[in-house]
Amino acid sequence: MDENNNQQFNTQQQFNQQPYYSQPQPPQEEKTNVGLAILSFIIPIAGLILYLTKKDSQPKTAKACGKCALACVIINIIITIIYSVAVGSAVKEVVDDSSSITENYEIPSAPNEVDADSSNTDDSNSDGKIGNYACVVKGTELRTNWEGKDTVLITYDFTNNSSNPASFDIALDAKAYQDGIGLETTFLSDDDTDILDVEIKPGVTKEVKKAYILRDTTTDVEIEISELFSFSDDKIVTTVKLG
């Protein structure tokens, strides 16, 4: 009996004398690596790589890098959307402004007014000098064109003061407006219009006629004459009263 007790005691003593080996524990990360987090925000792809490679060894740093990379991507998407909307609005505004130039173009008021069906012009515009030429509105007449549309027939006195032969349509640009909107040129049913590309010699004055389709028969028509090829902004503006 004593022998068995001694043997059991010796076995227990040998067991107690064996060295104790604890299970290895992963190293504990004390704090997040701020530098890597900043790098992840600046370069999101780097943040993704850091998250995948350090999520086991440095979970705090990996989590911070992943969040910074995701935040950078979201911010870039928001900025892109805002920029696209702003650029789209700016382009639309420019297009709208450019398309309304002719529709809302205001012709300066002129001192000369000519009544329809009249062959007289105001003496204040009798010279009508524009560059190397002179042009005055001699008369106006309400007509219908070859399609039966209401038309105003404008008669001009065109003078070539240059040193070379010139024609009305090559030398000058004569436009007509109602409410600031341009009127289309046309031909009358009886062809009562001059061929405007006929050249005249220097010092010669020729009567020419040009027809415009009216938008209505009551609104005043403003005639604007300028040189066709010139860097000057000079214009001759004449108001024709239809009412």
Side-chain angles (χ1 to χ4, degrees):
M1 184 71 179
D2 292 336
E3 184 178 353
N4 291 334
N5 290 335
N6 290 332
Q7 185 178 2
Q8 185 176 4
F9 176 78
N10 292 333
T11 302
Q12 182 67 31
Q13 188 176 10
Q14 291 176 358
F15 177 79
N16 292 334
Q17 291 177 353
Q18 290 180 356
Y20 175 75
Y21 296 98
S22 61
Q23 186 176 0
Q25 297 292 330
Q28 296 296 321
E29 186 180 10
E30 295 182 356
K31 60 181 180 179
T32 302
N33 191 320
V34 178
L36 294 180
I38 295 175
L39 176 64
S40 301
F41 182 82
I42 298 174
I43 308 175
I45 187 65
L48 176 61
I49 295 173
L50 289 171
Y51 173 76
L52 295 176
T53 57
K54 294 183 178 295
K55 63 181 180 179
D56 295 327
S57 61
Q58 294 178 286
K60 290 184 179 180
T61 298
K63 187 175 181 181
C65 291
K67 288 183 177 180
C68 289
L70 181 61
C72 180
V73 172
I74 294 174
I75 292 174
N76 285 334
I77 292 175
I78 295 174
I79 292 175
T80 301
I81 294 174
I82 295 174
Y83 177 78
S84 300
V85 172
V87 171
S89 300
V91 171
K92 183 178 182 299
E93 183 177 353
V94 170
V95 172
D96 291 343
D97 290 343
S98 61
S99 63
S100 63
I101 288 177
T102 55
E103 295 181 0
N104 299 322
Y105 185 77
E106 295 183 359
I107 306 299
S109 58
N112 179 34
E113 297 183 352
V114 182
D115 293 333
D117 301 318
S118 171
S119 60
N120 297 321
T121 55
D122 197 315
D123 291 340
S124 62
N125 197 33
S126 58
D127 291 337
K129 292 182 180 179
I130 181 79
N132 293 324
Y133 312 98
C135 185
V136 295
V137 176
K138 185 178 180 179
T140 61
E141 185 179 354
L142 291 177
R143 302 283 294 275
T144 55
N145 70 347
W146 62 279
E147 296 177 302
K149 295 181 179 180
D150 292 325
T151 301
V152 60
L153 180 64
I154 307 295
T155 302
Y156 301 96
D157 265 350
F158 168 61
T159 303
N160 180 14
N161 293 324
S162 68
S163 57
N164 298 308
S167 64
F168 178 83
D169 262 6
I170 297 300
L172 301 178
D173 184 20
K175 296 179 180 178
Y177 297 86
Q178 276 187 312
D179 287 331
I181 302 176
L183 303 181
E184 297 180 12
T185 59
T186 185
F187 294 96
L188 303 182
S189 57
D190 55 4
D191 291 331
D192 189 14
T193 51
D194 287 342
I195 300 177
L196 303 179
D197 60 356
V198 173
E199 291 187 343
I200 58 176
K201 290 184 176 183
V204 175
T205 299
K206 183 180 186 299
E207 182 182 280
V208 295
K209 296 180 180 181
K210 196 168 184 177
Y212 305 87
I213 299 175
L214 292 170
R215 298 174 63 84
D216 61 73
T217 57
T218 58
T219 304
D220 295 348
V221 176
E222 292 187 328
I223 308 298
E224 182 181 288
I225 303 171
S226 60
E227 286 188 274
L228 187 60
F229 303 104
S230 175
F231 293 106
S232 173
D233 294 330
D234 292 343
K235 294 180 179 66
I236 300 172
V237 180
T238 302
T239 301
V240 175
K241 287 191 172 297
L242 301 181

